């Protein structure tokens, strides 16, 4: 089945004229990102938009939601008054399956434990015209790449790794659920016109090096916030040499540098992948407008003139990288990694090696890893670390089983997990003798924050390519360099691993018996969506209250978060995923992972009403019960990581009125705005230091809240002194209306009520 073929034909039919018109407006040749963005404007433009400054309304082609975020997104959508989604949309059941013993038993357990949620998602999808991918069908991003992504398209998805579809030349952007509601309701989707970072790839990879190493290198160069507010566009001969799935890996992990999305130009590798996944018609259509699916030639010849920043990488010189621990941008080349392990006293013994996930579960990835597994068999080597394999989709799993790779992994003790996120997002019942013991794991995933995979602060998680992860699994030591070191086999012989080999696409084609797709009802008006009143998993939403029309006074400091505060710190995943459809229950995890500046502890803050220390959520609830608002203070890149809007909805639900930080990650800032929160930044970053534990806080200037005009925060200290601090914001007029109305959804409801 080819999804969206009529939509693609229409888009491609209109794209040349729209791009030509945009080129005249801009007055210069266009990058690929600009072509796609201007071709997806909600209304015909009358001027060029300034990157990094102008808010722009777009009309994405489709929406994708994973099951954990879809619950809240669809609970919001069902209140907005539409009978059906306005654009093609899908739900993918991938986040709620816990990895424990193996694929078959874990999937069966998930279907039982999560039945209420799966039934809700299936029925609400059926009612509103949404395609539903059942548990076991695969990880959202892999399924999208195999079925929906197409060159030159634009989509949004309620997951930060939605940019994976950039591997097929699509502008694919991670958003919160409220943004998805806008698009599904047929409204424009707003985004600040992104800046453009060009990454020129020359040469060609060989040997142990893979596409994963490109993004690991880029993460090291740009850091976790270096791509914020920008689309990263890869180009050059090196880019065209990469497989489509390799491109997807790079775009997927671009989320770790804060990029709006990442993108590759249409080429023969993409055409090959489209054909291999049953979309020959799409490849033919793309070939027909090929020049419009690539940057203009002038951009290639003089990239510094057309991108805001250009970095260059010679793939001939690239070596494998290992990034981490605790942050995905701590990049170390394999030649220096053993020394780094020893110098930093990271645990040398590797306990678990995990390959797969949405980032690295392609046929190419699995085949290269399997070639190393086969070497281990042939050379009488045994894996010295636990080894797991997570297929990205049922289509990939079925094909790699058919082609014998799963048997190969089984022979070296590999455990195949369900086609789901599993350990990548904390859904892992890890077996460990002492959870407090410092230990090391390595994955081919994308994210490695503390506690991310197994909930253990003691775990040092590293990220590398599937090939390197597999080699480490065999060696059992992080000081092993597979490019030059020997291993002692079962016979006492010293042997070396040869370079991995593999193929981009299955020689005998992809196969699958049941992909796991459920098409929606043609008319869903009679479909009943049931949410039990006493459910602990699902809760119907009540509108948030509108702004009271005055400045905010007498607010209590809830927490002053120190250092890295990701969405994992604000709203943990793992066991909390089961409450993603129940706002009140999941709010009990709010900020429990954030470090309190004043005592260096997590989930321990001073209650201004009692003077005692206690959990963050309970303290917030105490303030809310006393009709007192509160404020959260944060550090740099606050809200880094996942797109989860729960990290914005929970503070809103528990009475937090403002989040004031040194800087925000893009998606989280937008999510806060959507929920009617104040997302503010210190005009002087050093003013963060003026916030004291017993402060009572006022926020002034709200009665004249306008774009570009700073607000003032008054810190009333316990000793009677005070500090006035200037706060900047990025609100435009519609976003200010969201704040006044109590949230963007309230504005949507009012519009549909008319």
């Amino acid at each position: 089945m080819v999804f969206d073929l009529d939509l693609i034909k229409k888009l491609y039919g209109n794209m040349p004229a729209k791009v030509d018109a945009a080129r005249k407006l801009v007055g210069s040749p266009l990058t690929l990102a600009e072509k796609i963005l201007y071709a997806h404007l909600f209304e015909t433009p009358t001027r060029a938009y300034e990157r990094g400054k102008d808010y722009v309304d777009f009309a994405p082609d489709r929406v994708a939601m994973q099951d954990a975020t879809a619950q809240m997104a669809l609970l919001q959508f069902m209140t907005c008054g539409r009978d059906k989604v306005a654009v093609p949309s899908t739900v993918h059941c991938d986040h709620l399956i816990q990895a424990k013993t193996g694929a078959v038993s874990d999937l069966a357990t998930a279907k039982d434990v999560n039945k209420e949620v799966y039934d809700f998602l299936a029925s609400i999808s059926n009612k509103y015209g949404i395609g539903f991918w059942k548990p076991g069908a695969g990880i959202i991003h892999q399924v999208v790449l195999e079925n929906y992504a197409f060159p030159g398209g634009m989509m949004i998805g309620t997951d930060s790794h939605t940019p994976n579809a950039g591997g097929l030349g699509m502008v694919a952007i991670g958003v919160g659920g409220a943004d998805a509601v806008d698009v599904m309701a047929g409204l424009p989707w707003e985004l600040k016109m992104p800046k453009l970072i060009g990454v020129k790839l020359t040469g060609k990879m060989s040997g142990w090096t893979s596409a994963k190493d490109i993004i690991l290198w880029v993460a090291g160069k740009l850091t976790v916030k270096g791509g914020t507010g920008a689309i990263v566009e890869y180009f050059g001969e090196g880019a065209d040499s990469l497989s489509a799935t390799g491109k997807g890996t790079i775009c997927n992990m671009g989320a770790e540098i804060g990029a709006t999305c990442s993108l590759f130009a249409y080429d023969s590798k993409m055409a090959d992948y489209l054909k291999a996944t049953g979309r020959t018609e799409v490849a033919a259509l793309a070939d027909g407008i090929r020049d419009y699916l690539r940057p203009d030639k002038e951009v290639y010849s003089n990239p510094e003139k057309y991108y805001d920043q250009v970095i260059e990488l010679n793939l001939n010189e690239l070596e494998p990288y290992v990034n981490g621990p605790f942050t995905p941008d701590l990049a170390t080349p394999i030649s220096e990694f053993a020394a780094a392990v020893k110098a930093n006293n990271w645990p040398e013994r590797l306990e678990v090696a995990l390959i797969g996930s949405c980032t690295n579960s392609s046929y190419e990835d699995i085949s290269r890893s399997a070639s190393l597994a086969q070497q281990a068999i042939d050379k009488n080597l045994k894996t010295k670390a636990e080894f797991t394999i997570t297929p990205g989709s049922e289509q990939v799993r079925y094909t790699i089983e058919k082609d014998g790779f799963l048997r190969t992994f089984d022979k070296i003790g590999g455990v195949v997990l369900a086609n789901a996120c599993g350990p990548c997002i904390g859904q892992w019942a890890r077996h460990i003798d002492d959870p407090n013991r410092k230990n090391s794991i390595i994955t081919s995933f994308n994210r490695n924050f503390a506690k991310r995979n197994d909930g253990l602060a003691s775990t040092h998680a590293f990220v590398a390519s599937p090939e390197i992860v597999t080699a480490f699994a065999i060696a059992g030591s992080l000081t092993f360099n597979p490019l030059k070191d020997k291993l002692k086999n079962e016979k006492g012989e010293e042997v070396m691993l040869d370079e991995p080999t593999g193929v981009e696409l299955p020689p005998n084609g992809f196969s699958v018996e049941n992909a796991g797709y459920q098409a929606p009802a043609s008319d869903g008006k009679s479909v009943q969506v049931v949410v039990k009143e006493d459910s602990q998993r699902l809760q119907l939403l009540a509108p948030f209250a509108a702004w009271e029309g005055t400045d905010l006074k007498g607010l209590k400091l809830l927490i002053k978060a120190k250092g890295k505060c990701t969405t994992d710190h604000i709203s943990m995943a793992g066991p909390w995923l089961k409450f993603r459809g129940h706002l009140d229950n999941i709010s009990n995890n709010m900020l429990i992972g954030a470090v309190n500046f004043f005592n260096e502890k997590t989930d321990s803050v001073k209650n201004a009403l009692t003077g005692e220390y206690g959990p963050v959520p309970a303290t917030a609830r105490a303030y809310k019960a006393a009709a007192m608002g509160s404020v959260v203070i944060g550090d740099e890149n606050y809200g880094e990581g996942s797109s989860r809007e729960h990290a914005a909805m929970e503070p809103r639900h528990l009475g937090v009125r403002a989040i004031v930080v040194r800087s925000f990650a893009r998606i989280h800032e937008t999510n806060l705005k959507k929920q009617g929160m104040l997302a503010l930044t210190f005009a002087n970053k050093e003013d963060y230091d003026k916030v004291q534990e017993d402060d009572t806080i006022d926020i002034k200037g709200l009665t004249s809240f306008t774009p570009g005009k700073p607000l003032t925060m008054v810190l009333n200290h316990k000793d009677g002194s005070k500090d006035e601090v200037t706060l900047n914001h990025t609100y435009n007029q519609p976003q200010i209306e969201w704040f006044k109305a109590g949230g963007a959804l309230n504005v949507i409801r009012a519009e549909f009520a008319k």
Side-chain angles (χ1 to χ4, degrees), residues 307-372:
Y307 296 101
D308 298 289
Q309 179 183 355
V310 176
I311 58 178
E312 186 170 337
L313 173 61
N314 184 346
L315 300 183
N316 293 328
E317 300 172 359
L318 181 66
E319 63 176 301
Y321 270 73
V322 182
N323 286 24
F326 307 129
T327 185
D329 60 348
L330 180 58
T332 308
I334 193 70
S335 59
E336 301 173 15
F337 186 61
V341 170
K342 292 178 180 178
N344 291 285
N345 197 30
W346 296 330
E348 292 184 27
R349 184 170 77 87
L350 179 67
E351 301 200 10
V352 193
L354 308 96
I355 65 169
S357 83
C358 67
T359 318
N360 277 107
S361 60
S362 68
Y363 189 90
E364 180 180 27
D365 291 328
I366 298 298
S367 67
R368 284 172 63 85
S369 295
S371 75
L372 293 171

Side-chain angles (χ1 to χ4, degrees), residues 193-270:
M193 196 66 169
K195 292 185 176 181
L196 300 177
I197 298 174
V199 180
K200 184 178 181 180
L201 301 179
T202 61
K204 189 174 183 179
M205 295 183 303
S206 61
W208 283 90
T209 309
S210 74
K212 183 63 164 272
D213 299 306
I214 296 173
I215 186 57
L216 295 175
W217 180 89
V218 169
K221 291 293 180 185
L222 292 180
T223 78
V224 291
K225 66 174 190 172
T228 302
I231 290 178
V232 180
E233 189 169 310
Y234 293 82
F235 65 95
E237 61 180 3
D240 289 343
S241 72
L242 302 173
S243 67
T245 51
K247 293 177 171 75
T249 292
I250 294 166
C251 294
N252 178 298
M253 200 174 161
E256 287 8 285
I257 58 173
T260 301
C261 70
S262 301
L263 188 63
F264 282 83
Y266 179 66
D267 59 15
S268 61
K269 297 287 190 179
M270 292 187 192

Side-chain angles (χ1 to χ4, degrees), residues 272-285:
D272 291 343
Y273 186 76
L274 286 168
K275 293 170 185 175
T277 51
R279 292 173 286 173
T280 300
E281 300 102 315
V282 177
L285 290 168

Side-chain angles (χ1 to χ4, degrees), residues 657-670:
R657 302 301 301 271
I659 311 290
V660 182
V661 302
R662 282 175 162 153
S663 66
F664 281 107
R666 174 191 64 85
I667 300 176
H668 188 62
E669 182 182 20
T670 300

Side-chain angles (χ1 to χ4, degrees), residues 441-582:
I441 66 172
I442 190 165
T443 80
S444 69
F445 306 161
N446 42 45
R447 201 162 275 169
N448 63 337
F449 305 139
K451 302 183 182 181
R452 169 78 179 184
N453 303 120
D454 58 9
L456 305 178
S458 55
T459 295
H460 294 56
F462 299 87
V463 177
S465 69
E467 301 93 311
I468 294 296
V469 172
T470 304
F472 275 135
I474 296 167
S477 171
L478 292 180
T479 58
F480 172 66
N481 181 351
L483 281 71
K484 68 179 184 65
D485 293 344
K486 293 181 179 180
L487 294 169
K488 188 169 288 188
N489 68 10
E490 296 288 294
K491 297 180 179 179
E493 301 165 336
E494 287 196 332
V495 296
M496 280 192 71
L497 294 173
D498 301 321
E499 294 175 349
T501 59
V503 292
E504 294 178 9
L505 296 166
N508 299 313
F510 284 108
S511 303
V512 67
E513 284 186 346
N514 182 1
Y517 175 69
Q518 172 185 293
S522 56
D523 183 354
K525 290 181 180 179
S526 63
V527 176
Q528 295 296 312
V529 179
V530 179
V531 177
K532 294 182 293 185
E533 286 189 16
D534 62 347
S535 173
Q536 295 301 301
R537 299 289 301 271
L538 299 164
Q539 180 186 46
L540 295 176
L541 295 174
F544 289 128
W547 171 57
E548 52 268 69
T550 63
D551 287 343
L552 303 180
K553 296 185 177 180
L555 305 176
K556 298 301 180 183
L557 175 68
L558 180 61
I559 185 171
K560 179 178 177 179
K562 180 180 180 180
K564 186 184 282 286
C565 192
T566 72
T567 49
D568 277 4
H569 296 90
I570 304 167
S571 176
M572 287 185 178
W576 290 94
L577 284 172
K578 63 177 174 285
F579 296 126
R580 281 285 179 88
H582 197 294

